[in-house]
Amino acid sequence: MIGCGAGGVERLRGELVEPAIERGWQVAVTLTPTAGEWLRAIGEVERISQVTGLACRVEARLPGAGRPHPDIDCYVACPATANTVAKLALGIADNQALTTLGEAIGTPGVPVVVFPKINATQVRHPAWQSHVDALRTAGVHLLLDDQFAAHGPRSGNAPGIPWSGVLDTVERITD
Ligand SMILES: Cc1cc2nc3c(=O)[nH]c(=O)nc-3n(C[C@H](O)[C@H](O)[C@H](O)COP(=O)(O)O)c2cc1C
């Protein structure tokens, strides 16, 4: 799982990580630097590591250091910021979360699910649609459909994150 610096990421453990573990998944979490700073400040980086049994990653490993996470069956970026979606679409990998997501997109057979928590102003940016098109063409499951519309780009203040709907989508596409 990847968490970005969007409102609601502070609930990542309780709303997505722990429910996924309860559904039988092993979960490894990587945060963007912004999300890492936010969650570290409230003790959540440590708590996520405790409940997953794996280091909650923010920084890249040093060359020669072992990989802290096992191979991943399915990537879920939730919440994803407009910033991370844009960089992912362009192939930018300037932090560990983007590095891992970008490699996942290039790995055949590994699903990538992205829930952008964005508002109407971000959707109206002239580059937004081309980012959406690029990611969908690459096979990314971008959760912008009607099912998620109440939480996503058509709502002015991006009110919430449909955590269980995201998890249901993961289970459907990995079934
Ligand atoms: C309190 C707060 C809430 C934010 N919520 C969002 C959000 O919901 N969606 C979004 O795209 N950006 C949001 N931002 C802006 C991002 O944090 C900012 O663009 C940041 O550079 C994203 O970095 P990241 O994509 O590496 O996590 C928020 C910023 C703050 C301070």
Side-chain angles (χ1 to χ4, degrees), residues 3-5 9 30-45 56-59:
C4 301
V9 71
T30 300
L31 303 170
T32 64
T34 303
E37 187 183 349
W38 293 2
L39 295 202
R40 200 164 267 142
I42 57 172
E44 277 295 312
V45 169
C56 177
R57 299 190 73 180
V58 181
E59 292 83 19

Side-chain angles (χ1 to χ4, degrees), residues 121-131:
T121 64
Q122 291 161 325
V123 170
R124 283 196 288 268
H125 188 285
W128 177 253
Q129 192 55 49
S130 69
H131 296 325

Side-chain angles (χ1 to χ4, degrees), residues 3-8 31-36 38 79-85 87 94-95 97-98 116-119 122 157-158:
C4 301
L31 303 170
T32 64
T34 303
W38 293 2
T81 54
N83 173 61
T84 287
V85 171
K87 292 204 283 189
D94 63 354
N95 61 52
L98 279 164
K117 183 172 180 288
I118 50 174
N119 62 33
Q122 291 161 325
N157 298 313

Side-chain angles (χ1 to χ4, degrees):
M1 284 179 189
I2 310 289
C4 301
V9 71
E10 67 280 1
R11 295 197 296 276
L12 181 69
R13 175 180 52 84
E15 300 285 355
L16 200 58
V17 173
E18 290 174 345
I21 292 170
E22 281 161 22
R23 292 193 197 193
W25 291 88
Q26 183 185 25
V27 178
V29 176
T30 300
L31 303 170
T32 64
T34 303
E37 187 183 349
W38 293 2
L39 295 202
R40 200 164 267 142
I42 57 172
E44 277 295 312
V45 169
E46 196 169 304
R47 281 194 280 275
I48 287 170
S49 298
Q50 281 167 358
V51 301
T52 61
L54 295 165
C56 177
R57 299 190 73 180
V58 181
E59 292 83 19
R61 67 189 167 101
L62 290 174
R67 293 176 185 276
H69 288 172
D71 288 345
I72 304 295
D73 299 322
C74 178
Y75 287 81
V76 186
C78 179
T81 54
N83 173 61
T84 287
V85 171
K87 292 204 283 189
L88 184 62
L90 294 172
I92 295 170
D94 63 354
N95 61 52
Q96 183 57 34
L98 279 164
T99 299
T100 198
L101 277 174
E103 286 180 357
I105 289 176
T107 306
V110 176
V112 178
V113 178
V114 175
F115 174 79
K117 183 172 180 288
I118 50 174
N119 62 33
T121 64
Q122 291 161 325
V123 170
R124 283 196 288 268
H125 188 285
W128 177 253
Q129 192 55 49
S130 69
H131 296 325
V132 168
D133 294 343
L135 291 172
R136 286 208 160 130
T137 300
V140 172
H141 299 267
L142 207 51
L143 304 184
L144 295 169
D145 298 327
D146 287 348
Q147 183 191 354
F148 296 92
H151 306 274
R154 292 174 199 94
S155 43
N157 298 313
I161 300 169
W163 300 103
S164 61
V166 171
L167 212 42
D168 291 345
T169 300
V170 169
E171 299 218 300
R172 184 170 45 76
I173 65 175
T174 54
D175 203 12

